[in-house]
């Protein structure tokens, strides 16, 4: 798929004519850029939006640059854009430090591993550093702040801008679907084949029907994503065929469907009985898991966040350990500058390093750098991955090879230094800063075997509490991603064989943990999220029974008598929760 950069001149030629006299240097344009991809123009205008190319008030671009081609699918690209919307917001927009060009630079890095031309990204700083720029800065900033009130910085909102494309629906998400033909009904019922649906047959001359409308609308919102609520007005001529198909002779009449099959039909309903009927129908689709009745408040909701390691190391000491030759390399200088800028000025000011060069550099250092010094490069890499713009790039299959190489290197090192193992575990944790990574690792599994080996071997490090803590954090992130995948209605994406292997090493590690309460807490949290609402007839449950994991965990009360997770995971989830339904 071709990736193009569209370049506009906000000054409409004035910059080229007047910049030398006003700024003291030649400026060809006041650049505004966007990414053209598959017939859509992606731009940051107080939010990330997509528009028809050339449809904004800016007209046609002054330049169209071919940046390269990407093999990423649009699904992956849309997932990435969703993951960075919290960075590119209306409130975060800054004319000089965080603008449309910074967005296109980040987006290009994700798509291609390289950014847009540097003279475009650096243009605001050059203007701001000039005497006139300093003089005009307050007025320009005030103008941008005023634009925020309209939800648009560049005025694209008034020029027919389009929001990011979504799947077409016949009605707003979560609302009642008004249908009048058999073909429409067939299509909607097909979409509800794995859940349930309700058809409300009504008519324009039916007062009891109209009295039920508010309740029906409310139920549609309440059970959004769980049930499809349909309304058909049989007084419309085109709806008569549907009424005949279901032998509707009076209104209000309701017909319910459960997983594609007609389940029930009744005429007349009070608001109370209508609510009870739909609630029961939804429960029949997804009966509550036995774990839902257990006293495990730490696991009721899958709203926990992945564990990330964002603390930066003392850069002066780290650079001194590198030596002058390594510290002088362009990749190291760019990475160091990015990390320090993000730490002290914030992500808005941090210019992303060239990500393809960074990937090549890390792999090169694995071959050339002494084993005892390699942790320095991995630690810097770990710091960068906290930014979801960077972790999003390395989550993709082609760039994953860099992460794969680092973890493989540690797994193959017979006597891996403590510092290298620790930062590698932390690096792997930081990959979960983007939701793209959890989806990718569960989907492809390419990184799953080496990560599983890294976790299992790190649990055996009895001499370093911090290694076991980091290993349990990585397991926790993996278990949480797996649970979220299962909770989204899809089948558990983490292969059961991997769950069994990880759980076996985890139960053994819990049994051996005698020193670190933090490590034990991480292990118990990971096991709890892995097992919560899992298949009680599956291999994971059978393993935990065979290992008598309940006794192992409850036995930790002797060493850690006040740890509540021992009760939640041991007595409740594994004690009561292992009973087969």
């Amino acid at each position: 798929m071709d990736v193009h950069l569209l370049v506009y001149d906000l000054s409409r030629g004035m910059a080229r004519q007047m910049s030398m006299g006003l700024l003291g240097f030649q400026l060809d344009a006041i650049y505004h850029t966007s990414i053209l991809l598959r017939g859509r123009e992606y731009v940051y205008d107080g939010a990330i939006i997509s528009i028809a190319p050339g449809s904004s008030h800016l007209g046609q671009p002054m330049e169209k640059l071919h940046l390269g081609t990407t093999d990423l699918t649009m699904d992956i690209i849309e997932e990435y854009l969703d993951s960075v919307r919290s960075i590119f917001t209306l409130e975060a927009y800054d004319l000089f430090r965080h603008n449309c060009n910074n967005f296109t630079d980040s987006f290009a890095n994700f798509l291609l591993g390289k950014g847009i031309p540097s003279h475009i990204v650096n243009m605001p700083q050059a203007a701001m550093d000039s005497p006139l720029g300093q003089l005009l800065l307050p007025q320009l900033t005030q103008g941008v702040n005023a634009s925020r009130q309209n939800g648009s910085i560049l005025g694209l909102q008034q020029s027919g801008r389009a929001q990011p494309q979504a799947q077409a629906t016949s009605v707003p998400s979560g609302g009642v679907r008004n249908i009048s033909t058999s073909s429409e009904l067939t299509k909607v019922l097909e979409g509800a084949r794995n859940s349930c649906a309700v058809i409300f047959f009504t008519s324009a001359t039916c007062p009891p029907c109209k009295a039920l409308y508010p309740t029906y609308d409310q139920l549609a919102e309440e059970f959004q994503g769980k049930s499809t609520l349909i309304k058909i007005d049989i007084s419309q001529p085109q709806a008569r065929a549907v009424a005949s198909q279901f032998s509707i002779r009076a209104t209000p009449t309701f017909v319910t469907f459960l997983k594609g099959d007609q389940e029930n039909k009744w005429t007349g309903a009070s608001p109370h009985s209508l609510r009870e009927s739909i609630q029961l129908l939804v429960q029949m689709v997804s009966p509550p898991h036995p774990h839902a009745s257990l006293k495990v408040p730490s696991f009721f909701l899958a709203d926990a966040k992945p564990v990330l390691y964002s603390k930066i190391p003392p850069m002066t000491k780290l650079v001194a350990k590198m030596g002058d030759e390594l510290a002088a390399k362009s990749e190291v200088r760019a990475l160091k500058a990015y990390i320090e800028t993000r730490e002290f000025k914030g992500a808005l000011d941090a210019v992303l390093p060239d990500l393809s060069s960074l990937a090549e550099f890390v792999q090169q250092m694995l071959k050339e750098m002494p084993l005892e010094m390699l942790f320095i490069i991995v630690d810097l890499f770990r710091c960068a991955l906290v930014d979801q713009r960077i972790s999003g790039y390395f989550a993709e299959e082609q760039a994953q090879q860099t992460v794969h190489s680092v973890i493989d290197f540690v797994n193959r090192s017979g006597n891996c230094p403590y510092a290298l193992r620790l930062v590698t575990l932390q690096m792997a944790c930081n990959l979960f800063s983007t939701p793209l990574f959890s989806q990718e690792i569960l989907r492809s599994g390419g990184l799953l075997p080496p990560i599983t080996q890294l976790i299992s071997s790190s649990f055996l490090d009895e001499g370093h509490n911090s290694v076991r803590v980091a290993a349990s954090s990585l397991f926790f992130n993996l278990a949480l991603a797996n649970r979220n995948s299962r909770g989204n209605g899809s089948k558990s994406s983490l292969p059961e064989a991997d769950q069994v292997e990880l759980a076996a090493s985890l139960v053994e590690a819990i049994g051996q943990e005698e020193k670190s309460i933090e490590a034990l807490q991480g292990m118990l949290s990971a096991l709890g999220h892995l097992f919560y609402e899992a298949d009680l007839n599956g291999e994971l449950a059978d393993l935990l029974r065979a290992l008598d994991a309940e006794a192992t965990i409850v036995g930790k009360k002797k060493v850690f008598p006040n740890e509540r997770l021992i009760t939640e995971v041991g007595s409740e989830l594994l004690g009561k929760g292992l009973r087969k339904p």
Side-chain angles (χ1 to χ4, degrees):
M1 192 186 320
D2 287 329
V3 181
H4 288 91
L5 180 72
L6 301 185
V7 185
Y8 298 85
D9 178 12
L10 294 178
S11 74
R12 301 184 184 275
M14 292 181 61
R16 182 185 295 272
Q17 297 174 19
M18 304 176 64
S19 58
M20 184 60 72
L22 293 175
L23 300 176
F25 60 90
Q26 182 61 40
L27 188 64
D28 291 333
I30 303 296
Y31 296 110
H32 161 71
T33 58
S34 58
I35 294 291
L36 178 63
L37 191 68
R38 205 175 182 180
R40 298 294 293 178
E41 184 176 347
Y42 292 84
V43 61
Y44 172 35
D45 177 39
I48 299 173
I49 61 174
S50 72
I51 62 176
S55 65
S56 77
H57 75 284
L58 299 175
Q60 295 301 311
M62 61 179 282
E63 193 173 9
K64 178 181 177 182
L65 302 176
H66 184 254
L67 298 180
T69 59
T70 179
D71 295 326
L72 301 177
T73 66
M74 286 306 300
D75 286 344
I76 294 296
I77 291 170
E78 289 293 347
E79 287 172 0
Y80 170 78
L81 291 174
D82 285 341
S83 74
V84 298
R85 291 189 196 283
S86 60
I87 296 176
F88 295 99
T89 63
L90 180 66
E91 294 75 19
Y93 188 94
D94 186 282
L95 180 63
F96 293 101
R97 300 180 302 142
H98 193 63
N99 55 39
C100 55
N101 301 324
N102 299 114
F103 163 70
T104 54
D105 187 56
S106 299
F107 195 16
N109 259 300
F110 171 73
L111 295 169
L112 305 168
K114 63 180 181 180
I116 66 176
S118 60
H119 71 276
I120 295 178
V121 178
N122 297 331
M123 180 271 295
Q125 188 62 48
M128 189 168 62
D129 289 343
S130 70
L132 184 63
Q134 291 294 314
L135 181 64
L136 296 177
L137 178 60
Q139 292 93 324
L140 292 171
T141 302
Q142 183 178 2
V144 169
N145 289 337
S147 298
R148 286 193 174 98
Q149 297 177 4
N150 298 322
S152 172
I153 304 301
L154 299 168
L156 301 187
Q157 197 173 42
Q158 284 76 39
S159 59
R161 85 175 188 181
Q163 293 297 330
Q165 292 175 308
Q167 290 183 339
T169 55
S170 58
V171 295
S173 176
V176 173
R177 297 173 181 264
N178 291 288
I179 288 173
S180 57
T181 66
S182 296
S183 59
E184 289 179 311
L185 180 61
T186 299
K187 185 176 180 180
V188 172
L189 289 179
E190 182 64 30
R193 180 166 290 276
N194 294 322
S195 56
C196 59
V198 183
I199 306 176
F200 178 3
F201 287 97
T202 179
S203 62
T205 57
C206 173
C209 297
K210 295 178 180 179
L212 289 173
Y213 287 174
T215 300
Y216 200 62
D217 291 342
Q218 182 181 356
L219 290 170
E221 293 289 342
E222 184 176 336
F223 292 106
Q224 177 182 353
K226 298 179 181 178
S227 180
T228 301
L229 270 62
I230 303 163
K231 188 186 293 181
I232 300 178
D233 183 352
I234 65 172
S235 60
Q236 297 180 5
Q238 61 266 39
R240 290 172 184 168
V242 183
S244 175
Q245 177 185 346
F246 288 92
S247 302
I248 303 301
R249 296 181 175 84
T251 58
T253 295
F254 294 87
V255 179
T256 57
F257 288 79
L258 180 63
K259 295 188 176 181
D261 298 322
Q262 184 172 329
E263 184 265 342
N264 197 7
K265 177 181 176 181
W266 73 94
T267 300
S270 68
H272 178 71
S273 61
L274 177 61
R275 172 176 290 276
E276 285 188 339
S277 297
I278 295 179
Q279 284 177 334
L280 178 61
L281 185 68
V282 171
Q283 290 178 0
M284 291 169 66
V285 175
S286 302
H289 194 283
H291 287 176
S293 62
L294 300 178
K295 296 178 180 179
V296 286
S298 301
F299 305 101
F300 272 141
L301 300 175
D303 58 353
K305 302 298 181 184
V307 177
L308 304 179
Y309 290 87
S310 57
K311 185 177 181 180
I312 68 169
M315 284 296 184
T316 303
K317 293 182 179 179
L318 211 63
V319 170
K321 288 181 180 179
M322 288 183 195
D324 294 340
E325 183 178 354
L326 181 59
K329 287 185 176 292
S330 59
E331 294 89 354
V332 172
R333 287 189 285 107
L335 187 55
K336 177 176 176 291
Y338 158 76
I339 293 171
E340 290 181 324
T341 302
R342 193 190 68 205
E343 175 71 12
F344 298 111
K345 293 185 178 181
L348 307 189
D349 287 324
V351 177
L352 296 181
D354 186 302
L355 300 183
S356 61
S357 296
L358 174 60
E360 293 174 3
F361 174 70
V362 171
Q363 295 205 55
Q364 180 185 356
M365 290 298 98
L366 291 174
K367 301 174 183 177
E368 299 178 2
M369 204 166 182
L371 180 63
E372 63 276 7
M373 300 296 292
L374 189 58
F375 79 93
I376 297 173
I377 300 301
V378 178
D379 203 21
L380 289 175
F381 188 36
R382 183 263 311 171
C383 293
L385 288 172
V386 171
D387 190 324
Q388 54 200 19
R389 294 170 294 179
I390 296 179
S391 58
Y393 171 78
F394 284 97
E396 294 312 313
E397 189 171 354
Q398 292 180 342
Q400 268 188 30
Q401 184 55 45
T402 300
V403 178
H404 204 299
S405 297
V406 174
I407 297 175
D408 265 349
F409 186 91
V410 171
N411 286 337
R412 287 187 282 103
S413 299
N415 189 22
C416 181
Y418 151 72
L420 177 58
R421 178 175 289 273
L422 178 62
V423 297
T424 300
L425 287 162
Q426 294 174 344
M427 173 206 74
C429 285
N430 287 357
L431 284 161
F432 288 87
S433 64
T434 174
L436 288 175
F437 179 73
S438 57
Q439 295 167 15
E440 183 65 25
I441 188 173
L442 294 177
R443 178 166 50 231
S444 69
L447 270 175
L448 201 52
I451 283 182
T452 299
Q453 183 181 348
L454 178 66
I455 293 173
S456 299
S457 60
S458 298
F459 279 149
L460 302 177
D461 190 340
E462 297 181 7
H464 299 100
N465 293 347
S466 55
V467 168
R468 300 195 305 280
V469 170
S472 64
S473 297
L474 182 53
F475 193 139
F476 172 83
N477 289 353
L478 198 59
L480 189 63
N482 182 67
R483 179 181 173 182
N484 287 333
S485 174
R486 190 194 313 135
N488 288 336
S490 60
K491 202 172 181 180
S492 179
S493 298
L494 189 61
E496 196 156 25
D498 292 284
Q499 295 186 46
V500 168
E501 180 179 350
L502 285 165
S505 63
L506 185 57
V507 172
E508 181 181 1
I510 291 172
Q512 295 176 353
E513 188 56 62
E514 302 286 339
K515 301 176 183 178
S516 172
I517 182 63
E518 188 178 4
L520 181 69
Q521 289 171 339
M523 294 173 188
L524 291 175
S525 293
L527 184 59
H529 282 291
L530 183 69
F531 183 56
Y532 189 79
E533 293 189 340
D535 182 3
L536 298 184
N537 295 308
E539 294 178 19
L540 176 62
D542 289 343
L543 171 80
L544 295 174
R545 293 186 189 97
L547 294 178
D548 198 4
E550 175 193 355
T552 298
I553 293 172
V554 172
K556 305 313 294 182
K557 277 189 173 292
K558 297 178 182 178
V559 184
F560 305 100
N562 299 319
E563 180 48 54
R564 61 179 177 79
L565 282 176
I566 294 176
T567 300
E568 287 193 41
V569 178
S571 303
E572 292 289 324
L573 270 179
L574 299 184
K576 301 175 183 177
L578 270 175
R579 298 170 185 167
K580 293 186 178 183

